[in-house]
Amino acid sequence: MDFTVDHGSFFVILGPSGCGKTTTLSMMAGLELPTSGRILLDGEDVTALPASARDIAFVFQLFALYPHMNVRQNIGFPLRCQNYPRAEIRQSVEETARLLRMIISWSAGSAASPVAIGSASPWARAIVRRPKAFLMDEPLGTLDSEFRRLMCGELRELHDRIDATTVYITHDQLEAMAMADRIAIMNQGRVEQIGTPQEIYDLPKTMFVADFIGAPPMSFLGVHTIAASAAIALSGRRRTGRHAGGVRERAEGKFALGVRPENVSFADASRLRGSVIGAEYLGTTQIVTVITANGR
C-alpha cells in the first residue's frame, strides 16, 4: 500500500474483518513495526520510533477508561504523564470538555451520566493534548445502531471543529460513506481502491469494491462483448445502445456487467427475462431479487 492522508482530512480505511485494517493502524501508531517501507508523520520518518515518540492519539474499539479515576482525571491523564503543570492540565481539560459539550463537576461526589462518561471521555483524553493525528480503531463498534448513527454526525462535526487529521477504520460501509473525505478499501492485506465516497460508489475499480460497497451490492451479469459493433450480448441476444463506462473499449470476450440495483427497472417489453425469488420491504425502498439466465 502507498497513500497519503492530507492535513485536516477524515481518511477512512474500510474492509472486511481480517483484511489488515487494525494492523495498518497499529503500524501508524508505532504499536507494530513494518517489515519494510516507511511511515512519515508531517514529513518526519517515524518508522522506527516507538509509540510514545509519535505525536499521535489512538482511540481503541474498547475505550479502556481507568475505573479508579473520575472523568476529569481520565481526560487529564496524558498531560499528567508528560508532567504538565496542574493549572495547565485543568485549563486544557476544561477547554476539551467544552469542545465535547461535556459538563464536568470539579467537586467530590458529583454524579454524571454513565453514557456520557463512557462515550465522551475517550475522545476527550485523545483530544486534550492536540496531537498531529488521531487514529481510531472502530470506536463506534460496540454501540447500538441508533446511537452509532448519532455519533457519526457528532464525530464528523468534532473533527471539523478542531481541524483534526483523522484516520478511522471500520468494516461498516455506512459509517465510512457518511464521514469520510476519502476512503481506502482494503482486502486481504492490499488496498483495492482509494477515492471519495462518490468515486468509490460510482466508479469501483474492482469487482470486490463494487460488491462490498452498496446495500444491496452491485449486481453482476455475465455478458459477451463484440468489439466491432460495441454490442453486448445478453441471454444470447445482441443488444446495442447505452452501455456502462468502458464497455466500448473492451476487446471481444466475456465480462461481468456491473449494475447498481437502483438503476434497474422492470419492463414488460424487455427481452431479459427473470423470476422473482424474494422481496424485502424496507419502508422507503423495496429490494427485489430476480434470477435471470445471466445471473442474480
Side-chain angles (χ1 to χ4, degrees):
M1 61 180 65
D2 186 357
F3 59 83
T4 300
V5 180
D6 297 325
H7 173 73
S9 70
F10 200 110
F11 188 89
V12 175
I13 302 176
L14 174 67
S17 298
C19 70
K21 304 185 298 295
T22 296
T23 302
T24 301
L25 204 69
S26 296
M27 288 189 290
M28 291 182 187
L31 304 176
E32 303 259 6
L33 293 179
T35 50
S36 62
R38 294 193 306 156
I39 299 169
L40 304 179
L41 178 62
D42 198 18
E44 178 189 0
D45 190 338
V46 298
T47 312
L49 292 181
S52 59
R54 305 186 190 194
D55 191 8
I56 283 175
F58 202 118
V59 178
F60 295 89
Q61 181 175 11
L62 300 176
F63 291 149
L65 295 173
Y66 305 124
H68 62 288
M69 298 181 184
N70 60 26
V71 177
R72 172 173 53 84
Q73 292 167 336
N74 261 287
I75 296 173
F77 185 71
L79 303 182
R80 284 178 53 205
C81 291
Q82 296 178 327
N83 297 317
Y84 276 63
R86 183 173 298 180
E88 193 170 337
I89 293 175
R90 181 179 181 124
Q91 180 182 352
S92 297
V93 169
E94 289 179 343
E95 289 175 355
T96 301
R98 280 196 295 270
L99 273 173
L100 288 170
R101 305 188 182 110
M102 296 173 70
I103 299 174
I104 297 178
S105 172
W106 292 79
S107 61
S110 59
S113 164
V115 173
I117 293 173
S119 59
S121 293
W123 310 104
R125 194 169 58 198
I127 291 167
V128 70
R129 61 184 184 83
R130 298 303 174 90
K132 289 182 178 177
F134 295 90
L135 307 183
M136 302 188 180
D137 185 2
E138 302 201 47
L140 307 182
T142 58
L143 305 179
D144 62 58
S145 59
E146 184 177 351
F147 196 45
R148 189 183 306 147
R149 285 195 299 271
L150 173 66
M151 287 300 295
C152 278
E154 290 283 337
L155 183 55
R156 179 64 216 221
E157 183 186 345
L158 175 65
H159 166 90
D160 294 336
R161 203 158 61 232
I162 65 176
D163 192 28
T165 302
T166 303
V167 180
Y168 184 103
I169 71 171
T170 181
H171 63 271
D172 188 323
Q173 57 169 296
L174 296 180
E175 278 183 29
M177 299 289 278
M179 292 191 289
D181 293 314
R182 294 167 69 223
I183 301 173
I185 307 286
M186 283 191 69
N187 181 34
Q188 297 182 345
R190 295 180 179 275
V191 173
E192 297 251 343
Q193 184 174 351
I194 298 177
T196 65
Q198 186 169 1
E199 289 169 348
I200 295 286
Y201 189 84
D202 291 345
L203 299 170
K205 290 186 176 180
T206 67
M207 287 184 68
F208 173 82
V209 174
D211 186 58
F212 191 74
I213 294 293
M218 182 176 281
S219 299
F220 297 105
L221 296 178
V223 299
H224 185 85
T225 62
I226 302 169
S229 62
I232 298 176
L234 276 173
S235 298
R237 298 170 182 264
R238 190 168 298 172
R239 310 295 299 277
T240 59
R242 296 179 63 190
H243 304 297
V247 171
R248 295 182 186 277
E249 302 167 9
R250 300 289 185 188
E252 181 176 351
K254 294 181 178 179
F255 295 95
L257 175 65
V259 185
R260 288 290 179 195
E262 62 267 27
N263 296 322
V264 178
S265 58
F266 291 119
D268 289 338
S270 173
R271 287 179 290 178
L272 178 60
R273 312 307 294 174
S275 299
V276 175
I277 64 166
E280 303 169 61
Y281 179 71
L282 303 177
T284 55
T285 57
Q286 182 169 257
I287 301 172
V288 181
T289 304
V290 182
I291 293 293
T292 75
N294 296 79
R296 178 176 295 201

